[in-house]
């Protein structure tokens, strides 16, 4: 039976790159987006052009009851997921004295609460159906080393690492793996306003990463061969840390 993989934030950036990488592989993809429906439709048609099977789902990962309802309805209608890629996320950067309360709340509500809001409705159906599945959460090097101007984002991304490791321990006996990918600086909308030439100087590889370089790791973590790899944080960062 075809395995279903949910990718949050697949309309743009890394999530889109993951969708395109997985398209030719034998997965049914559920591609979520927040507000950018036209970009999501573009991802869907590119996935289909590559021979992939996919459907779209509009989802605000910070909205708990909405996630619960939509994901449960989708599972009820189309079956349990094999893989979940918690990719959607936001950054709202400022030096700490200028970090407003709503910037803190928004980034934590989306990035960290999003982890719970997406995974809580889907994990029990995986266990009940004895799915030997895969959970992959996008953290960041910011969550490992802490980045200037990103106290909120570093907190959320470090939280995702702790949450993933704890969940990995709980789910290991069910043969479900849980891992984090912690990218360095990847060329997407999120990084388009960075001073690129300055940034390159702090990356030993002297370039930004591509979405595809993250996506290939997602594909590996989803594969049968990665069944013994769990509770880990793998950083794709051109040697930054
Ligand atoms: P982008 O800004 O390019 O894309 C963000 C994606 O997340 C979009 O699909 C967007 O949907 C979706 N999204 C945003 N808010 C919500 C929400 N509330 N509910 C549902 N979906 C939402 O980001 P990247 O591709 O760069 O980043 C992807 C992940 O990788 C994030 O978790 C990010 O923190 C992480 N990361 C990125 C790095 C980088 O250098 N780019 C480095 C380290 C980690 P829509 O299009 O509808 O707005």
């Amino acid at each position: 039976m075809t395995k279903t993989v949910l990718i949050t934030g697949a309309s743009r950036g890394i999530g889109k790159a993951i969708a395109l990488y997985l398209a030719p592989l034998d997965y049914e993809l559920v591609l979520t987006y927040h507000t950018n429906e036209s970009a999501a439709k573009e991802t869907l048609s590119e996935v289909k052009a590559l021979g992939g099977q996919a459907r779209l789902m509009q989802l605000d990962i910070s909205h708990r009851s909405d996630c619960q309802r939509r994901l449960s309805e989708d599972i009820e209608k189309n079956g349990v997921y094999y893989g979940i890629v918690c990719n959607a996320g936001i950054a709202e950067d400022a030096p700490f004295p200028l970090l407003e309360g709503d910037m803190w709340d928004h980034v934590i509500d989306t990035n960290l609460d999003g982890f719970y809001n997406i995974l809580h409705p889907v994990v029990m159906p995986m266990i009940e159906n004895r799915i030997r599945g895969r959970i992959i959460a996008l953290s960041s090097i910011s969550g490992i080393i802490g980045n200037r101007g990103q106290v909120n984002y570093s907190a959320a991304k470090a939280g995702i690492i702790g949450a993933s490791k704890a969940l990995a321990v709980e789910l290991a006996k069910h043969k479900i793996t849980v891992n984090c990918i912690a990218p360095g600086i990847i060329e997407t909308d999120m990084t388009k306003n960075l001073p690129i030439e300055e940034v390159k100087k702090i990356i030993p590889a002297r370039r930004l990463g591509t979405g595809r370089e993250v996506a290939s790791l997602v594909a590996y973590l989803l594969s049968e061969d990665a069944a013994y790899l769990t509770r880990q944080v793998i950083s794709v960062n051109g040697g930054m840390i």
Side-chain angles (χ1 to χ4, degrees), residues 12 23 31 35-37 58 74 106 126 128 133 141 145 168 175 179 189-190 201 209 216 222 224-225:
R12 295 182 283 121
L31 309 174
T35 53
N36 205 333
E37 188 179 6
Q58 194 279 329
D74 189 59
H106 198 200
M126 288 171 87
E128 284 168 350
I141 56 165
I145 59 171
K175 300 185 168 56
N179 292 290
D189 288 348
M190 190 178 272
K201 291 180 191 156
S216 57
L222 286 171
E224 290 290 334
D225 288 342

Side-chain angles (χ1 to χ4, degrees), residues 88-104:
I90 56 163
E92 288 182 24
D93 298 351
F96 190 63
L98 301 179
L99 191 73
E100 302 288 344
D102 62 351
M103 297 165 81
W104 173 271

Side-chain angles (χ1 to χ4, degrees), residues 1-7 18-19 21-31 47 51-55 81-83 85 134 136 215 218-226:
M1 214 177 73
T2 306
K3 293 169 173 168
T4 302
V5 176
L6 177 96
I7 308 165
I18 295 167
Y21 196 96
L22 298 181
L25 309 181
D26 194 18
Y27 296 114
E28 167 91 28
L29 303 179
V30 184
L31 309 174
V47 164
Q53 303 175 58
R55 60 179 181 274
Y81 306 142
Y82 161 80
V85 186
R134 305 281 187 266
I136 300 158
V218 171
Y220 171 67
L221 291 172
L222 286 171
S223 73
E224 290 290 334
D225 288 342

Side-chain angles (χ1 to χ4, degrees), residues 100-120:
E100 302 288 344
D102 62 351
M103 297 165 81
W104 173 271
D105 292 343
H106 198 200
V107 167
I108 299 291
D109 292 352
T110 305
N111 296 348
L112 186 54
D113 289 13
F115 178 94
Y116 176 89
N117 297 343
I118 292 296
L119 293 177
H120 199 257

Side-chain angles (χ1 to χ4, degrees), residues 164 167-169 171-172 176-179 226-233:
S164 298
L167 188 59
V169 176
L171 297 183
I176 298 169
T177 69
V178 187
N179 292 290
Y228 201 56
L229 202 169
T230 194
R231 205 184 181 184
Q232 301 306 307
V233 181

Side-chain angles (χ1 to χ4, degrees), residues 112-167:
L112 186 54
D113 289 13
F115 178 94
Y116 176 89
N117 297 343
I118 292 296
L119 293 177
H120 199 257
V122 307
V123 163
M124 203 56 206
M126 288 171 87
I127 294 172
E128 284 168 350
N129 287 275
R130 295 191 164 77
I131 304 290
R132 299 175 170 202
R134 305 281 187 266
I135 293 170
I136 300 158
L138 269 286
S139 176
S140 164
I141 56 165
S142 187
I144 300 174
I145 59 171
N147 262 355
R148 181 188 296 275
Q150 292 196 315
V151 172
N152 51 354
Y153 185 78
S154 295
K157 293 299 188 181
I160 286 173
I161 291 174
S164 298
K165 288 186 172 184
L167 188 59

